[in-house]
Amino acid sequence: MKTRFLSLYTPHILGDLIRKKLQNKRNAGKKSHERYSNDIKQELAVSTPQIFIILVEKHGNKELVARCCSNAATFGVRPGISVIQAADLCSQSKNKSEILINKFNENLENKTLQHLASWAYRFSPRIAIDLNKSAPAYKSQLFSGISLDITGTSRIFPSEDSLITAIVSELEQYGISARLAITPTSPSAWAFSRYGENKTSIIEDNELKYLAQQLPCEALGLSEPINQEMKEVNITRLGHLFDLPQRIIAERFGLQTYQQIRFFLGEEKTNISQWKFDNLPTVEKSFLSPISNRLQLIRACEELLPTLITKLQLKQCCLSAIEISISSTAKNLCQQITISPASNSKKYISAVIKATLERMTLPEECHNLKLTVSKSVSAIAWQFNIAGENENLITTKAEIVGSLSAIVGANNTLLAVGKESYLPEQVTTYIPAISALGSRPAKSKILAADRPSRLFPQAQKITVLSLLPDNTPFLIRWSRKKYRIIDVIGPERITSEWWRNTEIETRDYFKAQIETGLYLWIFRAIERNQWFCHGVWC
């Protein structure tokens, strides 16, 4: 299997998110303008300023641009220039402009990239964050992005074009501009996403060396002294390095440059540095005086849950399983609780924990309570966004089904599901309701026929009296009572499915009205020559 790597370069992610947040606040205020005429709306649209975000950092006695939004970058603003120069470039906009200058926060950018990596987990589980903490902020913009090992994901995404389209379209919803590249090696993907001619690039194995010849030597990601040394001997493109013998490259520019070229071209295998998610959160509470009341223990769990849920939301995860540890002088008690479906709803999780604790045999004295997330699942797109804001996590139906399953048991909370069959007793099957959440029920055709409002799970045997064996009965004995039939509609012949390799049974159904006015659904099994009652019209 050929290896494929994707590099996602987001140099303006911090500025774009700040700009998008300001625009959303101002757009919320524009809803009150909907009652105005079209002329007034056009005047309001023209008067809306164009927002430019510039993030600065002090370098000695100077304030230099560290980051900016993509809107400012289109006017020539780049890291390393002075704030005055950046403001002058933004003021060249023909529309009314608003320049916002804030201090650059490196920790906030790192957290934003971590949120981006959590969001990208849906595309590949092997993710690396590009960080360069050694360089100043205005020089480390090239390392603002993530890398993904997408080898083997072709079964999920039929083409690499569709994968890039999915990523770009979702990022555009948050106002984030990005450059993407998919290549056979991780260093080449990093290079094409930063220095490629197009915003998106897909490079195959047989064209990597040819297309990389026009990239600058900085695309190798080497240190600045080595790049300066290459410029002194007029080596500015990777094609110049590819033409040199490997021995001269190692002697003149160091072994690291020689190895980086081999990694770049795939002559030596390299893997991305897997970014590890932090350990799953834990919260605990110690009691000054031991508690023995079950209700107090439940309330203590409810007090700890908000902190635990907040930690999960920052990681863009939903709780799937939780472990409760209770410490006492006699023994320590641990109980694993499954939260299905996965959720961050305090009300729902509290109901499941309460139902579990009420069934447990608790120690007489509890000194310490500890809640640990033993399993979590990554939230899907409609649950979280990149900025870490959460929406409605689960539906009311899921909460009710999950709570009932925790109280009475999953095997006792059943859901009726339709099933295609000619035999009336086989058209419905029951499955655990908890397993049906999140899945679409299978569509089954509904037969347009007169059927009883109450169908017995099993047909009840009856005895009949008729003039001839094949004639309709005029008297039946059902539930130890005799009834006279005053009207009969039918027959309707129903036969079992021959393709199921079961014994074929033919039935003639009748809608019979007895002397009390009640309608019965009776049938005669042709092969057995027996009569049964299968339902009633209530």
Side-chain angles (χ1 to χ4, degrees):
M1 181 183 295
K2 62 179 182 179
T3 59
R4 302 294 285 173
F5 292 88
L6 184 148
S7 180
L8 176 59
Y9 180 41
T10 55
H12 314 297
I13 183 170
L14 198 56
D16 286 341
L17 286 175
I18 296 173
R19 179 172 173 268
K20 183 68 174 178
K21 190 174 182 180
L22 289 174
Q23 284 182 339
N24 290 340
K25 287 183 178 180
R26 295 179 181 181
N27 291 337
K30 289 182 181 179
K31 293 182 180 179
S32 59
H33 300 156
E34 294 178 356
R35 63 181 184 273
Y36 297 151
S37 63
N38 293 331
D39 295 338
I40 297 177
K41 287 181 181 179
Q42 290 178 1
E43 291 180 4
L44 291 172
V46 172
S47 61
T48 303
Q50 192 174 12
I51 302 174
F52 296 95
I53 304 297
I54 299 175
L55 305 177
V56 300
E57 183 184 53
K58 275 194 174 183
H59 187 69
N61 296 328
K62 298 180 181 180
E63 281 192 342
L64 302 179
V65 175
R67 299 288 186 271
C68 65
C69 65
S70 55
N71 198 14
T74 56
F75 285 87
V77 179
R78 63 185 185 278
I81 66 175
S82 64
V83 179
I84 298 175
Q85 186 179 358
D88 183 57
L89 291 171
C90 293
S91 62
Q92 296 177 6
S93 173
K94 296 180 180 180
N95 299 329
K96 184 180 178 181
S97 61
E98 180 180 351
I99 303 172
L100 300 178
I101 301 175
N102 292 326
K103 185 179 179 181
F104 172 67
N105 189 339
E106 185 178 0
N107 293 330
L108 181 59
E109 185 183 51
N110 292 340
K111 288 182 180 179
T112 305
L113 289 175
Q114 291 177 9
H115 282 302
L116 181 66
S118 300
W119 167 83
Y121 193 76
R122 70 195 71 183
F123 302 110
S124 174
R126 296 181 292 273
I127 305 172
I129 299 179
D130 301 329
L131 293 175
N132 186 9
K133 298 181 179 180
S134 60
Y138 68 91
K139 291 185 178 181
S140 62
Q141 188 183 27
L142 288 173
F143 296 89
S144 179
I146 60 174
S147 298
L148 291 80
D149 185 353
I150 59 172
T151 304
T153 59
S154 57
R155 295 184 178 181
I156 303 174
F157 299 96
S159 66
E160 293 176 346
D161 287 323
S162 63
L163 174 60
I164 287 181
T165 303
I167 294 175
V168 171
S169 60
E170 290 199 34
L171 289 177
E172 286 178 349
Q173 296 179 6
Y174 305 107
I176 300 174
S177 64
R179 294 175 59 90
L180 293 90
I182 298 179
T183 66
T185 64
S186 176
S188 60
W190 186 93
F192 277 96
S193 64
R194 271 73 173 173
Y195 299 98
E197 294 182 0
N198 303 321
K199 292 187 67 174
T200 58
S201 305
I202 299 178
I203 312 297
E204 299 296 336
D205 298 24
N206 55 359
E207 58 185 6
L208 173 60
K209 188 173 183 179
Y210 173 75
L211 295 177
Q213 291 180 358
Q214 301 301 322
L215 297 179
C217 293
E218 289 81 2
L220 288 176
L222 300 172
S223 61
E224 191 171 347
I226 296 179
N227 292 331
Q228 189 64 32
E229 189 177 351
M230 290 181 182
K231 290 181 180 179
E232 292 177 357
V233 293
N234 201 24
I235 295 179
T236 57
R237 295 183 292 105
L238 292 184
H240 297 155
L241 287 174
F242 295 160
D243 295 337
L244 294 176
Q246 296 181 353
R247 179 180 58 82
I248 296 179
I249 295 175
E251 293 177 355
R252 184 68 175 83
F253 303 109
L255 185 61
Q256 181 184 3
T257 305
Y258 164 73
Q259 290 179 339
Q260 190 67 13
I261 293 175
R262 291 182 61 85
F263 290 147
F264 186 98
L265 298 176
E267 296 174 358
E268 290 187 21
K269 290 186 178 181
T270 178
N271 295 319
I272 61 175
S273 300
Q274 176 71 35
W275 176 63
K276 296 182 179 179
F277 291 86
D278 296 335
N279 294 329
L280 295 174
T282 300
V283 291
E284 60 179 319
K285 182 177 182 179
S286 299
F287 306 104
L288 296 176
S289 58
I291 62 173
S292 57
N293 192 339
R294 191 186 302 269
L295 183 59
Q296 291 179 341
L297 196 62
I298 294 174
R299 289 177 178 174
C301 291
E302 293 177 350
E303 293 176 1
L304 294 175
L305 271 180
T307 305
L308 193 69
I309 292 172
T310 302
K311 292 182 178 181
L312 277 173
Q313 289 175 350
L314 291 175
K315 299 175 181 295
Q316 295 192 346
C317 295
C318 288
L319 183 62
S320 179
I322 187 172
E323 183 182 90
I324 299 179
S325 301
I326 302 172
S327 301
S328 65
T329 54
K331 63 177 181 177
N332 295 333
L333 182 64
C334 292
Q335 178 66 36
Q336 184 87 4
I337 302 175
T338 301
I339 308 297
S340 180
S343 171
N344 280 347
S345 171
K346 177 189 172 185
K347 182 179 178 181
Y348 169 47
I349 298 172
S350 299
V352 176
I353 292 177
K354 180 181 179 181
T356 305
L357 290 178
E358 287 177 347
R359 295 196 304 266
M360 290 173 55
T361 303
L362 301 178
E364 296 180 358
E365 295 182 349
C366 301
H367 297 276
N368 184 273
L369 174 65
K370 184 178 180 181
L371 302 181
T372 305
V373 177
S374 54
K375 185 179 179 182
S376 66
V377 295
S378 180
I380 58 179
W382 58 270
Q383 290 176 320
F384 287 101
N385 58 32
I386 296 176
E389 300 171 0
N390 63 311
E391 301 173 2
N392 294 328
L393 295 180
I394 63 171
T395 62
T396 305
K397 175 184 174 182
E399 291 184 5
I400 295 173
V401 171
S403 301
L404 287 175
S405 300
I407 296 172
V408 302
N411 294 329
N412 297 325
T413 309
L414 304 178
L415 177 68
V417 179
K419 179 183 176 183
E420 290 189 357
S421 176
Y422 290 110
L423 297 180
E425 66 270 17
Q426 296 181 5
V427 297
T428 304
T429 184
Y430 294 91
I431 61 174
I434 199 73
S435 63
L437 291 176
S439 61
R440 295 182 178 179
K443 294 183 179 180
S444 57
K445 296 181 181 179
I446 299 176
L447 182 65
D450 189 12
R451 291 292 180 261
S453 54
R454 182 188 175 192
L455 185 71
F456 301 142
Q458 296 293 333
Q460 301 176 10
K461 190 174 182 180
I462 60 174
T463 56
V464 301
L465 185 63
S466 60
L467 295 177
L468 295 173
D470 292 338
N471 287 11
T472 56
F474 60 86
L475 187 70
I476 66 170
R477 181 180 178 86
W478 175 51
S479 297
R480 299 181 181 180
K481 293 183 180 181
K482 294 181 180 180
Y483 298 97
R484 186 170 58 89
I485 297 178
I486 59 177
D487 192 15
V488 176
I489 302 174
E492 178 188 357
R493 176 155 293 187
I494 297 178
T495 307
S496 60
E497 298 88 350
W498 56 266
W499 58 87
R500 297 189 185 277
N501 295 325
T502 58
E503 185 178 352
I504 298 177
E505 184 178 27
T506 305
R507 304 174 183 177
D508 282 341
Y509 278 85
F510 299 87
K511 184 178 181 180
Q513 185 182 19
I514 59 178
E515 54 191 345
T516 61
L518 185 67
Y519 279 93
L520 306 179
W521 203 35
I522 62 176
F523 72 87
R524 180 169 70 96
I526 304 297
E527 288 79 11
R528 293 180 288 172
N529 196 22
Q530 293 179 343
W531 286 83
F532 298 88
C533 181
H534 210 163
V536 296
W537 277 265
C538 299

